[in-house]
Amino acid sequence: MTKRLWTMGCLLMTVLAVAAADYGKYYQNLPVEVKRVEAVVIPANQVMLTDCGAVGDGMTLCTEAFEKGISRLSKLGGGRLVVPEGVWLTGPIMLKDNIDLHLEKNAIVLFSPDKRLFLDKAPNAKRVYPCIRASKRTNIAITGEGVLNGNGQQWRPVKRGKNSDAEWNQYQAMGGQVTEKGDLWYPWQMNNGYPDIADTPQKQEGMRNDLIRLTDCRNVLVEGVTIMNSPRFHLHPCYCENVIIDGVTVLSEWNVQNGDGIDLSDCHRALIVNSTVSVGDDGLCMKSGLPQKAPRISGCRDIVIQDNTVLHAHGGFVLGSETASGVERMVVRHNRFIGTDVGLRFKSGLGRGGQTKQLFVSDIMMTDIKDEAIIFQCDYVNRAAGDDGKTPTFTEEQRRWAPDFSDIHITNVVCHGCATAIKASGISGLNCVHDIDISNTTIIYNKVERQIDEKTARLHLTDVRLISNKAK
């Protein structure tokens, strides 16, 4: 009896240790009251992936082993599936309630180039399965020091203008198809021996999905891992509540199409801290889509983003382009952006816009920003690879969903090096950019001081120093 009680006590302590992480320090001295995240609790059960038949030789397909490991833990009420050192080739992985997918150091999970493995069996599916997915789950985690590699070059189109001759030749050596104009390469009829899953390269490109996509989940932890080379977005919680992203590294080549780093779509109570992002599209991005009829979480609420580094990205911190269901009570502070295209990027457009409230951005340090340090854009149009570039026609219904960037407070920003310091424009006849405060900010620019359309955008600048660094 004594031994049994001791064992139960050890298990209980393990569970409590997982649950005891204190995130309270990130909620001190906030400019607005934000609902706090709660630590994710995972049971103490543990299964090794190798005990489920997996072989980490980079050649043996381990999809079934991941399924077995998660199933075994699920029958025990949950626990940790441990992926040890090795290269683990697999198809898609589906998480269940109370599961922690734990990657030990030097563990590399490599997702297979065989696109057939990712086909979604749902008859109305437009995309393939994400590499890792979960839907309507509670208490799920991805942790450790290992690597998740989405093998994205097997899925993504590549623009000729964003590649050197040597890089372009490397893509062509993989097989693929180049457009008649020679401006775009598609991963079509590749030399890997696996067949395509659509009847045109354009249709197949439209099927690619995220590396990690978690939908309608509650209590999510992603901690420590490296997430790289995604077919599309890298880490994408959607309609989730109580999300913690702590100390992750997100990587892709600088020129990948739609290679967003960390995107939150319509999430409540989230914390993104201590992470490093260097990707081909937006870095830290918040999205809020059109309201859903189903009882899903709507809008972005109660989010803290702190102590992160963004290297290459289209934007360091990005809001949009979807803001329709609103953004409220968000704090972005003590982050650094080095070499991003844009620093603080607020973008939306007709058909996808909504209102922002109580958004506070502070203590942002930036260097070597390619374009604007701060931009408000209301004419954004999402364009797929190969798009004709024509301005779309908007219906009256779409015009109802116009951007409304307001109640945004930006302070204590330092930027050394950018083309344009501040750029802002709204839409004529609509109140799209207003009640924006920028204060105690220094921006050293090398081309344009400010490009603000005062007829459509109202910004209040206090103690803002815009300093020219143009070549003499």
Side-chain angles (χ1 to χ4, degrees):
M1 179 63 73
T2 302
K3 183 177 180 180
R4 183 183 177 188
L5 288 173
W6 180 85
T7 303
M8 290 176 64
C10 287
L11 291 175
L12 181 59
M13 283 190 291
T14 304
V15 173
L16 290 176
V18 174
D22 180 19
Y23 298 102
K25 63 181 179 179
Y26 299 108
Y27 294 89
Q28 295 177 4
N29 303 316
L30 293 180
V32 62
E33 187 174 349
V34 176
K35 294 179 182 177
R36 299 188 180 193
V37 296
E38 299 173 359
V40 177
V41 179
I42 301 292
N45 305 307
Q46 180 170 295
V47 169
M48 297 294 295
L49 185 66
T50 47
D51 292 338
C52 303
V55 179
D57 59 3
M59 179 176 61
T60 304
L61 191 64
C62 301
T63 312
E64 187 176 345
F66 278 102
E67 291 174 359
K68 284 182 178 178
I70 291 170
S71 180
R72 285 183 189 178
L73 287 166
S74 188
K75 290 175 182 176
L76 295 171
R80 170 175 283 182
L81 178 60
V82 178
V83 183
E85 181 177 39
V87 178
W88 310 92
L89 184 69
T90 183
I93 297 170
M94 183 175 69
L95 301 179
K96 297 182 179 180
D97 293 336
N98 305 310
I99 296 295
D100 174 14
L101 178 64
H102 183 79
L103 280 63
E104 293 187 339
K105 193 168 186 177
N106 296 328
I108 301 176
V109 176
L110 177 64
F111 291 91
S112 173
D114 187 352
K115 299 179 177 69
R116 295 171 299 180
L117 299 174
F118 298 85
L119 283 169
D120 191 329
K121 298 177 179 64
N124 59 344
K126 295 181 180 179
R127 298 185 182 274
V128 298
Y129 286 133
C131 299
I132 297 177
R133 71 187 191 277
S135 178
K136 295 180 172 61
R137 297 297 180 181
T138 302
N139 298 328
I140 54 174
I142 303 171
T143 65
E145 299 179 78
V147 175
L148 297 162
N149 187 328
N151 219 341
Q153 67 274 11
Q154 302 292 330
W155 292 94
R156 298 184 305 257
V158 175
K159 294 179 178 179
R160 178 65 181 93
K162 289 187 173 183
N163 287 268
S164 66
D165 290 345
E167 291 168 322
W168 188 248
N169 290 336
Q170 286 175 356
Y171 278 108
Q172 290 185 316
M174 296 166 58
Q177 182 181 96
V178 178
T179 58
E180 248 181 69
K181 292 193 296 184
D183 60 343
L184 201 60
W185 174 89
Y186 285 100
W188 175 258
Q189 297 177 347
M190 300 286 277
N191 295 336
N192 57 29
Y194 297 110
D196 295 302
I197 56 173
D199 56 9
T200 69
Q202 292 81 7
K203 286 182 181 178
Q204 184 167 273
E205 185 273 330
M207 296 170 68
R208 63 191 170 107
N209 210 336
D210 308 330
L211 202 163
I212 301 173
R213 186 180 180 96
L214 312 172
T215 307
D216 293 308
C217 293
R218 189 175 187 276
N219 302 343
V220 173
L221 172 66
V222 184
E223 182 180 55
V225 292
T226 295
I227 305 164
M228 62 178 294
N229 198 15
S230 177
R232 191 169 169 266
F233 298 169
H234 285 77
L235 175 53
H236 193 193
C238 308
Y239 310 109
C240 291
E241 183 177 9
N242 196 47
V243 177
I244 301 167
I245 299 170
D246 186 358
V248 305
T249 301
V250 184
L251 301 173
S252 76
E253 296 175 5
W254 73 271
N255 52 6
V256 303
Q257 186 79 10
N258 305 121
D260 287 24
I262 300 174
D263 286 21
L264 299 187
S265 292
D266 293 280
C267 290
H268 290 187
R269 281 197 302 142
L271 181 68
I272 304 174
V273 292
N274 308 315
S275 295
T276 299
V277 176
S278 185
V279 291
D281 211 302
D282 293 331
L284 306 168
C285 185
M286 306 293 108
K287 299 177 181 292
S288 172
L290 292 168
Q292 302 290 315
K293 292 181 180 179
R296 286 181 167 183
I297 285 176
S298 189
C300 289
R301 308 279 189 277
D302 299 300
I303 297 173
V304 173
I305 302 171
Q306 181 174 326
D307 297 335
N308 302 289
T309 299
V310 182
L311 301 173
H312 190 274
H314 283 184
F317 169 75
V318 181
L319 184 62
S321 62
E322 300 89 343
T323 60
S325 291
V327 175
E328 188 171 356
R329 296 188 300 277
M330 183 182 297
V331 176
V332 182
R333 64 180 183 175
H334 300 295
N335 298 286
R336 54 188 179 178
F337 308 147
I338 304 169
T340 59
D341 290 352
V342 176
L344 300 172
R345 186 183 190 194
F346 303 85
K347 62 172 182 175
S348 192
L350 293 176
R352 57 181 65 212
Q355 187 176 25
T356 61
K357 297 179 182 178
Q358 296 177 300
L359 173 54
F360 294 86
V361 181
S362 67
D363 303 288
I364 306 297
M365 304 296 116
M366 301 188 279
T367 61
D368 303 311
I369 304 302
K370 176 176 170 286
D371 298 318
E372 298 89 2
I374 303 172
I375 185 172
F376 290 87
Q377 177 187 4
C378 296
D379 61 352
Y380 180 83
V381 177
N382 187 35
R383 299 190 185 278
D387 186 274
D388 60 14
K390 293 180 180 178
T391 302
T393 301
F394 295 100
T395 65
E396 285 304 311
E397 174 63 19
Q398 288 174 319
R399 290 182 65 84
R400 284 185 56 232
W401 299 101
D404 186 358
F405 292 123
S406 60
D407 199 1
I408 298 175
H409 311 274
I410 301 171
T411 189
N412 298 336
V413 174
V414 177
C415 176
H416 187 282
C418 64
T420 300
I422 302 173
K423 183 176 180 178
S425 60
I427 299 173
S428 181
L430 298 174
N431 199 20
C432 293
V433 182
H434 60 100
D435 298 303
I436 311 293
D437 298 319
I438 304 176
S439 65
N440 192 30
T441 286
T442 301
I443 301 175
I444 300 174
Y445 66 93
N446 52 44
K447 287 187 179 179
V448 180
E449 179 184 280
R450 65 181 80 186
Q451 197 172 345
I452 301 173
D453 181 359
E454 295 184 356
K455 294 180 180 178
T456 61
R458 300 196 304 277
L459 277 60
H460 308 287
L461 276 55
T462 305
D463 193 20
V464 173
R465 297 165 296 281
L466 307 179
I467 302 169
S468 173
N469 193 30
K470 295 180 182 179
K472 302 298 183 183

